[in-house]
C-alpha cells in the first residue's frame, strides 16, 4: 500500500538524505508537528508544544548537551498538505511526529510511520479504530474516544433513556466514534435510532445541510441528540437548533469534548452562542489538580498573549512533548546513536522525478517506540502511563452542564467506577463498583431551564397515528368487541387502555385496527408477532403475558391477574340430614367410639372394688360403664368421684376428647357455612391422571401449554369457541373439564350454573398491552396502570364489564375445595397416649390386687382330702375372681376377722 501513498504526493523532493553518523549526542533532536494552526486545536497545541520545548531545553538534566527542536508544519486543514508535511519530516531525520490533528490523516500517515519506523503521537486523533495492531507506530497520548462513548452510554442508562439520535460529520473520527457509541449502547439495551450525517467540517460552508437534518430530527420520536463534531460545525448546529425551537423543554443535547474545548478556549462566548448552548451536557477529559497543572495554567496568559484560552488538549500537547523528550533521554542514555538509513524498497523504486531516496528509516525507531509506550511520569495532566494495548492509564472525564452563568460540573466518569460526584482519583484505591446504586450525578439544568429530567422521547411529529392492533373476538366480547359492525371497538380492555392514556402527560394519537374475521377467535401469537414486524405499533386486548411473547415484545404492567384453571360440572354436598357425620372418616368414628368403651372399661376395672357406683347387677354395671365414659365429655367433675389412678386416666381421656371435639366443631362449621361442591375432578392433577377429554378456548395458549408442559395427548383436547359450547360440552359429557384463563372462566360461571373451578390456578400470569422492545411508551403505560389501580379506577372498570352473576348461590364459592375430613392418622398420637395411660393404670392395679390376694389368701397347710391339680387351679381362679368381685371394704373386714380368729386359736393352744 505504501507505493500508492507515495504516488499521491506529486512533488519533487530535492537534496540528499541526511544520516546522522558518529556523534552519540546530536546537537539537535528533530521532532515534527503537523497541525492546522488556524483551528482552535492548532492554536492551543502550538503554544503548549513551544512551551514544553523551552522547558525541556532549559533543563540540562533531560537531554544534556542536545536540544529538542519542534518543527511545526501548518497543514491548513488540507489533507494533501498534511501528507507533504509528513514527507518533509521523513527526509529531515525527525525522530517522531506529533500529530496529525485529524483521524483521517492519522489513518493515511500511519502507513508512512510504519514503513520508516518513525513514531507518530497524537492527542487529537482519538479514533477508536486506530489500533496498535494495525498501526504499531501510532500512539494516542490522550484517552481514546472509545472511553468517551462509554461514558456517554452510561449517562444514557443512568437517566433511563433508550433511544438516541447521533449527529456527526462524515469523517473517520466522528463516524468511528458513533460506531463505538452504538456498540456501547447495544450492550445496555439501548440504541441509536437515527444517524444524521453532515459533510466534512472543512467543506461545510452553509447551514443548509444542518437545517435539513435538524428538521428531520424534529419529526422523530427520540429527543436525545448526541453531537460528535468539531467546534466550528458545533456552533452552527446549536445556532440553527435554537432557531428551530429545539433548545426548549423536552430536548436533551449531549456534546462530545469539542464543546468543552470551545468553552475553555473562547471565554466568554458571544451572547448568541452562549444562549444557544444553555442546558447542554458535555464532557472534558479529566486531569488531576496538581502543582504542575496550576503552575502551567498560571503561565498560560503570558504564553498565549491572551489570544486563546487553555483547554485540555493544550495540557496533553505539553505532556506529549515531554513523553518524547524522556524517551530520547532513555535512548541516548542507553548508548544508542540516533541514525537514519535509506529504505531499500525505495531505492529500487523508479519514481521518475520523485527523489524517494530522501525518505530515510529511523534505525532506532523500534527501540525509541518501546521507550515511548513504557513511559511512566507525572505531567500536567496527571500520571502518564500506557496499558499493554496502548490505551491511556485511568481514563476519566468531567461531566459539564452549560448554564446561564457559564457552565458547572455535575460529576465525573471513570472507567474504574463509572459515574460519581467525587473525583475519580479518590476511588482508585477502592474496588470497582459499577452497581446502579453507586452511580450518581448532581442536578442538571436542561434545555428550557427545567430541572426535571426529560423523558427523552415524544410521538413522532409526522402526522401518523399509532396503529394499535385489537383482536376481533367471536366470544367473550365483554373484553373487546366491534361496535355495531363498524371499526369502533369497546370492552373492558379498551376502557382500561383509554383510561391509562388519559393519565399520561402527553397526547397519544392512535387508532384501533381489528385483527381477525370475527367468526372465530384470532391466533394471539400471530397478533403479537405483528408488533415485531411493524404491522402494528402496539397490541391492546386480552393478551396473556407468557414467556414466548415476552421474548419479542415488551408488555406493560398486568392490568388483570390471570392464570389457567380447571372448570368442571359439580353437585352440592351439604343438602343432606347426615352432613354432621362428614367431619370424621369412618375409621375415625370407629376408633373414637372404641376408645370410649375402652376407657369406660378401664375405669370400671379400677373402681369396681372401691366404688359403689360400679357395683351391682351386671346390667347396671354395663349401663354405668357406658354412661360414665360418654358423660365424661360433658361433666368433667366426674373425675372427683373416682380413685387417683382412675382420675389420671380420665384427665388424659378428657384432654383427648376436648381436642377431637374442637376439631370436629371447626370442620362441621366449615361444612355447614361454606358451599361444598362435589366433582370427580379435584384439580389439574386428577385431570392429568384421568382419561377424559379436555376442552379449551380457540386461540388460547392453553392448548400448547397442556401439550408441552403437562404432556397431555393432543387427542384428548377439544377446541370450543364460545361459553355456550363450554356449557353444552360439559353437560353432555363431550368433555370432562375445561382448561382456560381465569377471567374467561369467571365470566362463563357468571352466566352458566352447575359448574365450578376445581383446585387452584396452576399458572400465574396476567394480561398486558404489548409494545415493541424497549418502547418508552410501555414504561409510561405501566406507570399509568399502577395509577389506575391505586385510585380504584381499575376496579370500577372491572365492575362495569365483568361483575355480574346469575348463579351466586352455586358459584359464590366455586373455587373452594372440599375441606379435608378429619382422619385417624391426624390423631393417632392422642389415642396412643390415652391407650398407654390405660395400660399403665391397669398394670399398677392388677399388680396391687394380685399382691393383696397372695398376702391375704395363703394356702391351707394341710388338706383333709387331696385334690387333683386341675381342680386346685380351678378353685384358686374362682377364689381370685371372687376376691376381685368382692368389695374392698368387705375383704378388709374378712381379713381382720380371720386375723382375730388366728390369734384366738394360738392363745388357746398355748394354754
Amino acid at each position: 500500500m505504501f507505493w500508492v501513498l507515495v504516488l499521491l504526493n506529486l512533488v519533487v523532493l530535492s537534496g540528499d538524505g541526511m544520516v546522522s553518523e558518529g556523534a552519540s549526542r546530536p546537537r539537535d533532536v528533530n521532532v515534527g508537528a503537523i497541525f492546522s494552526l488556524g483551528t482552535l486545536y492548532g492554536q492551543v497545541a502550538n503554544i503548549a508544544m513551544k512551551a514544553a520545548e523551552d522547558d525541556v531545553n532549559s533543563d540540562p538534566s533531560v537531554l544534556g548537551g542536545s536540544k529538542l527542536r519542534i518543527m511545526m508544519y501548518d497543514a491548513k486543514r488540507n489533507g494533501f498538505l498534511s501528507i507533504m508535511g509528513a514527507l518533509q519530516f521523513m527526509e529531515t531525520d525527525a525522530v517522531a511526529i506529533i500529530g496529525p490533528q485529524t483521524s483521517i490523516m492519522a489513518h493515511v500517515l500511519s502507513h508512512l510511520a510504519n514503513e520508516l519506523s518513525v513514531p507518530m503521537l497524537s492527542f487529537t486523533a482519538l479514533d477508536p479504530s486506530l489500533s496498535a495492531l494495525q498501526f504499531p507506530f501510532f500512539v494516542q497520548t490522550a484517552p481514546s474516544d472509545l472511553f468517551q462513548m462509554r461514558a456517554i452510554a452510561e449517562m444514557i442508562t443512568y437517566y433511563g433513556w433508550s433511544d438516541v439520535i447521533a449527529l456527526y460529520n462524515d469523517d473517520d473520527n466522528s463516524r468511528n466514534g458513533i460506531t463505538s457509541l452504538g456498540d456501547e449502547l447495544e450492550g445496555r439495551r439501548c440504541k441509536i435510532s437515527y444517524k444524521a450525517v453532515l459533510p466534512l467540517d472543512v467543506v461545510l460552508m452553509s447551514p443548509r445541510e444542518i437545517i435539513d437534518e435538524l428538521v428531520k430530527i424534529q419529526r422523530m420520536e427520540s429527543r436525545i441528540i448526541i453531537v460528535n463534531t468539531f467546534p466550528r460545525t458545533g456552533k452552527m448546529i446549536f445556532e440553527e437548533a435554537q432557531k428551530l425551537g429545539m433548545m426548549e423543554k423536552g430536548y436533551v443535547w449531549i456534546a462530545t469534548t469539542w464543546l468543552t474545548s470551545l468553552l475553555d478556549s473562547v471565554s466568554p462566548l458571544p451572547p448568541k452562542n452562549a444562549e444557544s448552548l444553555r442546558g447542554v451536557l458535555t464532557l472534558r477529559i479529566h486531569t488531576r489538580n496538581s502543582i504542575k497543572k496550576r503552575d502551567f495554567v498560571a503561565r498560560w496568559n503570558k504564553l498565549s498573549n491572551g489570544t486563546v484560552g487553555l483547554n485540555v488538549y493544550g495540557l496533553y500537547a505539553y505532556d506529549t512533548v515531554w513523553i518524547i523528550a524522556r524517551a530520547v533521554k532513555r535512548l541516548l542514555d542507553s548508548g544508542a546513536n540516533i541514525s537514519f538509513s535509506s529504505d531499500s524498497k525505495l531505492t529500487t523504486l523508479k519514481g521518475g522525478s520523485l527523489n524517494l531516496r530522501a525518505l530515510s528509516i529511523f534505525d532506532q525507531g523500534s527501540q525509541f517506540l518501546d521507550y515511548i509506550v513504557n513511559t511512566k511520569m507525572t505531567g500536567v495532566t496527571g500520571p502518564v502511563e500506557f496499558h499493554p494495548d496502548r490505551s491511556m492509564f485511568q481514563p476519566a472525564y468531567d461531566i459539564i452542564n452549560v448554564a446561564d452563568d457559564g457552565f458547572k460540573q455535575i460529576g465525573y466518569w471513570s472507567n474504574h467506577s463509572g459515574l460519581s460526584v467525587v473525583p475519580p482519583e479518590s476511588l482508585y484505591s477502592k474496588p470497582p463498583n459499577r452497581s446502579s446504586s453507586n452511580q450518581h450525578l448532581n442536578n442538571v439544568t436542561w434545555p428550557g431551564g427545567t430541572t426535571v429530567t426529560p423523558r427523552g422521547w415524544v410521538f413522532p411529529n409526522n402526522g401518523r397515528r399509532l396503529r394499535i392492533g385489537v383482536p376481533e373476538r367471536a366470544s367473550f366480547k365483554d373484553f373487546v368487541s366491534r361496535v355495531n359492525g363498524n371499526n369502533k371497538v369497546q370492552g373492558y380492555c379498551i376502557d382500561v387502555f383509554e383510561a391509562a392514556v388519559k393519565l399520561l402527560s402527553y397526547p397519544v394519537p392512535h387508532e384501533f385496527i381489528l385483527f381477525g374475521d370475527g367468526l372465530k377467535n384470532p391466533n394471539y401469537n400471530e397478533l403479537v408477532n405483528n408488533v415485531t414486524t411493524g404491522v402494528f405499533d402496539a397490541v391492546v386486548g386480552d393478551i396473556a403475558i407468557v414467556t414466548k411473547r415476552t421474548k419479542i415484545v415488551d408488555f406493560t404492567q398486568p392490568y388483570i391477574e390471570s392464570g389457567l384453571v380447571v372448570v368442571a360440572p359439580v353437585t352440592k354436598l351439604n343438602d343432606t340430614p347426615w352432613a354432621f357425620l362428614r367431619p370424621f372418616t369412618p375409621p375415625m368414628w370407629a376408633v373414637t367410639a372404641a376408645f370410649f368403651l375402652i376407657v369406660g372399661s378401664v375405669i370400671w376395672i379400677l373402681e369396681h372394688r372401691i366404688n359403689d357406683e360400679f357395683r351391682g347387677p351386671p346390667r347396671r354395671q354395663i349401663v354405668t360403664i357406658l354412661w360414665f365414659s360418654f358423660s365424661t365429655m360433658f361433666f368433667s367433675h366426674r373425675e372427683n368421684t373416682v380413685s387417683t389412678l382412675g382420675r389420671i386416666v380420665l384427665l388424659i381421656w378428657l384432654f383427648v376428647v376436648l381436642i377431637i371435639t374442637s376439631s370436629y366443631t371447626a370442620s362441621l362449621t366449615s361444612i355447614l357455612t361454606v358451599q361444598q361442591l362435589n366433582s370427580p375432578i379435584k384439580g389439574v392433577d386428577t385431570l392429568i391422571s384421568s382419561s377424559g377429554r379436555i376442552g379449551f378456548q380457540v386461540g388460547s395458549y392453553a392448548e400448547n401449554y397442556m401439550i408441552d408442559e403437562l404432556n397431555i395427548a393432543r387427542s384428548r383436547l377439544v377446541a370450543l369457541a364460545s361459553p355456550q359450547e363450554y356449557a353444552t360440552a360439559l353437560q353432555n359429557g363431550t368433555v370432562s373439564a375445561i382448561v382456560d384463563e381465569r377471567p374467561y372462566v369467571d365470566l362463563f360461571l357468571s352466566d352458566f350454573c352447575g359448574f365450578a373451578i376445581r383446585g387452584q390456578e396452576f399458572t400465574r400470569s396476567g394480561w398486558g398491552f404489548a409494545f415493541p422492545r424497549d418502547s418508552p411508551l410501555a414504561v409510561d403505560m405501566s406507570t399509568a396502570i399502577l395509577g389506575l389501580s391505586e385510585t380504584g379506577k381499575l376496579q370500577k372498570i372491572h365492575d362495569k364489564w365483568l361483575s355480574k352473576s346469575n348463579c351466586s348461590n352455586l358459584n359464590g364459592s366455586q373455587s373452594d375445595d372440599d375441606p379435608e375430613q378429619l382422619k385417624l392418622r391426624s390423631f393417632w398420637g392422642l389415642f396412643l397416649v390415652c391407650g398407654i395411660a390405660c395400660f399403665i393404670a391397669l398394670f399398677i392395679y392388677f399388680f396391687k390386687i394380685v399382691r393383696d390376694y397372695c398376702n391375704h389368701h395363703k394356702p391351707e397347710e394341710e388338706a383333709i382330702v387331696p385334690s387333683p391339680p386341675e381342680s386346685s387351679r380351678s378353685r384358686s381362679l374362682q377364689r381370685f375372681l371372687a376376691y376381685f368381685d368382692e368389695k374392698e371394704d368387705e375383704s378388709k373386714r374378712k381379713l381382720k376377722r380371720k386375723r382375730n380368729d388366728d390369734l384366738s386359736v394360738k392363745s388357746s393352744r398355748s394354754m
Side-chain angles (χ1 to χ4, degrees), residues 11-20 30 32 69 71 73 83-95 97 112 116 118 340-341 346 354-362:
V11 61
V12 178
L13 301 177
S14 59
D16 295 329
M18 297 178 61
V19 179
S20 299
N30 296 330
R69 185 160 69 101
M71 301 178 295
Y73 183 88
I83 297 175
M84 291 297 300
L87 292 172
Q88 288 184 18
F89 291 142
M90 298 301 181
E91 69 175 351
T92 55
D93 298 344
V95 298
I97 296 176
L112 283 174
L116 301 178
V118 177
F340 296 83
S341 59
L346 298 179
L354 295 176
N355 187 9
L356 299 178
R357 289 180 300 171
L359 303 178
S360 53
I361 296 176
F362 181 18

Side-chain angles (χ1 to χ4, degrees), residues 527-543:
L527 175 59
V528 172
N529 191 61
N530 281 337
V531 176
T532 65
T533 59
V535 175
F536 298 131
D537 299 310
V539 168
V540 170
D542 47 335
I543 313 298

Side-chain angles (χ1 to χ4, degrees), residues 819-837:
E820 186 175 351
Q821 289 179 300
L822 301 177
K823 299 179 180 179
L824 179 60
R825 65 171 177 265
S826 302
F827 297 92
W828 71 267
L830 291 174
F831 288 119
L832 178 62
V833 170
C834 187
I836 292 174

Side-chain angles (χ1 to χ4, degrees), residues 375-388:
T375 297
K376 289 185 179 180
M377 71 176 201
T378 301
V380 294
T381 60
V384 177
E385 188 177 344
F386 296 93
H387 289 294

Side-chain angles (χ1 to χ4, degrees), residues 29-33 49-50 53 68-72 98 321 324:
V29 178
N30 296 330
V31 175
M49 287 189 290
K50 288 300 182 183
E53 177 186 13
L68 189 69
R69 185 160 69 101
I70 305 294
M71 301 178 295
M72 179 63 69
I98 302 176
V321 174
I324 294 173

Side-chain angles (χ1 to χ4, degrees), residues 273 316 529 654 726 736 749 775 806 907:
N273 296 130
Y316 277 99
N529 191 61
L654 181 61
Y726 280 21
S736 59
L749 295 176
S775 170
N806 298 323
S907 298

Side-chain angles (χ1 to χ4, degrees), residues 861 899-911:
E861 294 181 359
R899 285 177 179 175
N900 291 334
D901 292 342
D902 290 342
L903 288 174
S904 299
V905 172
K906 287 181 181 181
S907 298
S908 63
R909 287 180 179 178
S910 63
M911 292 178 63

